[in-house]
Structure formats: C-alpha cells, structure tokens
Amino acid sequence: MQDLDKFFKKCELIPAVVKDVKTNEVLMLAYMNKESLAKTLETGYTWFWSRSRQELWNKGATSGHLQKVVSIFGDCDDDTLLVNVEQTGVACHTGNYTCFFNQIF
C-alpha cells in the first residue's frame, strides 16, 4: 500500500474532485483526511470528511447513491486527489446528477 502521509504534509484535509468514469462529468468536490482516504482504499467506495458535521461520511450510505471507486490519482503537488467513480443515482444532495449545475459564465 502506498504511503498516504505524503498527501497530508501541507494540511490535514485535501480536496478530492470526484468524476464519473462513464460521462466524464465532474460530480462533486469533497474533502478527505488520511482516515477517509484509507477507508476509501480499503472499501472501494468513497469516504469523505464532513467539515460541517466534523465526521467521516460514506457517500451514498444513507441515500443509496454510492460511488464505486475505479481509480484515484494524486496531482503533481500531492495535495489534491482525482477520484474516478461509477456513480449510482445522483451525486448532489440537491437531487441533481452533479453538484456543478449553476452556470455563471
């Protein structure tokens, strides 16, 4: 298993961009800490750190809108992750498929 510490040298939380492998759409941005990344790697499904609730959450565990991890890439600075998933249902808590539906330009 890869050393996860390198991703958390700058900060305890890092952004995780979640993308659908079938549509190539960016679904959401969430934050991971070392524990949520480890649980994601262990289970094959996304786990994040909720900044508002201050707890781990398994995306879709309540709604059924699970994200099965296909691959994870770290960026060149090892401080952001790209998580490629097979999305079940919608990704956004608003009921939209993606969280990025408010076009501003």
Side-chain angles (χ1 to χ4, degrees):
M1 165 129 3
Q2 185 170 329
D3 177 25
L4 303 183
D5 289 332
K6 73 177 188 173
F7 297 108
F8 302 96
K9 288 181 180 176
K10 297 176 188 171
C11 190
E12 291 181 10
L13 293 178
I14 59 172
V17 178
V18 180
K19 188 180 82 156
D20 186 312
V21 294
K22 293 177 185 167
T23 66
N24 280 325
E25 286 183 87
V26 174
L27 299 176
M28 57 184 282
L29 172 83
Y31 290 87
M32 287 187 167
N33 62 11
K34 187 175 176 182
E35 184 180 4
S36 66
L37 178 55
K39 285 183 87 64
T40 297
L41 294 172
E42 175 187 323
T43 66
Y45 289 88
T46 55
W47 285 79
F48 302 106
W49 177 257
S50 171
R51 296 179 301 161
S52 59
R53 295 187 313 267
Q54 293 291 295
E55 65 183 14
L56 288 175
W57 58 284
N58 177 214
K59 177 67 176 160
T62 304
S63 67
H65 299 161
L66 297 169
Q67 295 175 334
K68 183 175 172 44
V69 177
V70 175
S71 62
I72 302 176
F73 291 86
D75 76 337
C76 57
D77 294 322
D78 291 328
D79 61 5
T80 303
L81 299 174
L82 174 62
V83 184
N84 293 299
V85 302
E86 292 176 0
Q87 177 69 42
T88 300
V90 300
C92 187
H93 71 280
T94 64
N96 287 284
Y97 185 67
T98 172
C99 293
F100 295 95
F101 57 90
N102 290 316
Q103 184 172 350
I104 59 172
F105 180 75

